[in-house]
Amino acid sequence: MKPTQAGLRERKKAKTMASIQLHALQLFRQYGYKATTVEQIAEAAEISYSTFFRYFSTKEDVLLIDNYDPLLVASFESQPAHLTPLMALRNAMLSGAKEMTPQELSTMRERNELVMSVPELRAAMINNMVNMMDLIIELTCRRTGREREDLAVRAFAGAVIGVNISVMQYYAEHPEADFLALLEEALNKLEAGLPL
């Protein structure tokens, strides 16, 4: 397969995922999260019920899954070698957030508010964050040459995830806040050793 075909396929997949998520959010606003069915989401997005499950395993995943992990990985791995893992991760996370369109930021804010307000979604988000922590552990090990079992690597990944959860919770409670500024401030505080 040619690289352009693979790129086109990935763009089409991302576009379909975004469409499903947008329609799901509209239905969640209209009927509530619990009352909305996968069938309704598929119908609104003009896809089949089975197509929905090619993109998302569960209704919860519509709110929890996004296409940003590959972008984060690519940005992290392109950071200069002299940067600490935290500096490289901060730069990668902030550059990804800066590249988001106003519509993407609005959708992210709405997804975040819903996730933080529905207990089942919050629990699923925590599980999703554990998977993200594993990704950060893997990236950090590749950058530093340390082993996955290294407690310092695990503590580092856990601290970054903790910062992210804190920012998400604050942002859900203060939707008028600037997400990018919150994330940057929180990561800067982590880098400074979280002085209180």
Side-chain angles (χ1 to χ4, degrees):
M1 181 184 308
K2 294 179 184 175
T4 54
Q5 289 175 319
L8 179 62
R9 181 177 290 166
E10 289 305 310
R11 285 195 303 275
K12 185 177 180 191
K13 180 181 177 184
K15 188 176 180 181
T16 302
M17 282 182 75
S19 173
I20 295 168
Q21 289 173 316
L22 186 62
H23 285 94
L25 281 170
Q26 290 168 348
L27 290 168
F28 296 155
R29 265 195 310 269
Q30 187 173 356
Y31 301 110
Y33 172 77
K34 290 184 181 182
T36 301
T37 66
V38 169
E39 290 87 350
Q40 290 172 309
I41 296 169
E43 184 178 331
E46 298 180 349
I47 59 169
S48 70
Y49 180 77
S50 61
T51 298
F52 175 92
F53 290 104
R54 277 191 242 145
Y55 291 90
F56 303 101
S57 299
T58 64
K59 183 170 77 169
E60 291 90 356
D61 284 349
V62 171
L63 296 167
L64 300 173
I65 304 276
D66 58 44
N67 288 319
Y68 300 115
D69 287 359
L71 300 174
L72 175 70
V73 170
S75 182
F76 178 83
E77 291 180 339
S78 71
Q79 296 298 315
H82 72 274
L83 296 180
T84 66
L86 181 56
M87 292 167 76
L89 195 54
R90 183 193 64 213
N91 289 351
M93 292 170 78
L94 293 175
S95 71
K98 286 176 185 173
E99 291 175 12
M100 293 175 80
T101 66
Q103 176 62 43
E104 288 173 320
L105 283 168
S106 176
T107 300
M108 182 197 67
R109 179 192 50 74
E110 193 170 350
R111 284 172 53 200
N112 184 55
E113 286 178 13
L114 190 55
V115 166
M116 289 298 184
S117 67
V118 177
E120 300 92 340
L121 291 174
R122 237 172 126 150
M125 181 268 300
I126 296 297
N127 186 51
N128 198 36
M129 286 295 185
V130 170
N131 293 335
M132 177 58 108
M133 190 169 80
D134 285 339
L135 176 62
I136 293 171
I137 289 169
E138 179 185 326
L139 291 172
T140 304
C141 287
R142 285 200 307 242
R143 186 173 190 91
T144 63
R146 291 178 177 239
E147 298 294 322
R148 286 187 63 84
E149 293 73 26
D150 188 324
L151 183 58
V153 170
R154 290 175 177 266
F156 166 73
V160 171
I161 292 301
V163 163
N164 274 278
I165 292 171
S166 298
V167 168
M168 289 170 64
Q169 188 170 15
Y170 186 92
Y171 191 49
E173 295 167 359
H174 303 89
E176 74 288 348
D178 179 340
F179 175 76
L180 183 60
L182 288 175
L183 181 60
E184 185 168 19
E185 180 183 353
L187 289 169
N188 287 342
K189 287 184 183 302
L190 178 61
E191 189 173 17
L194 291 172
L196 295 176

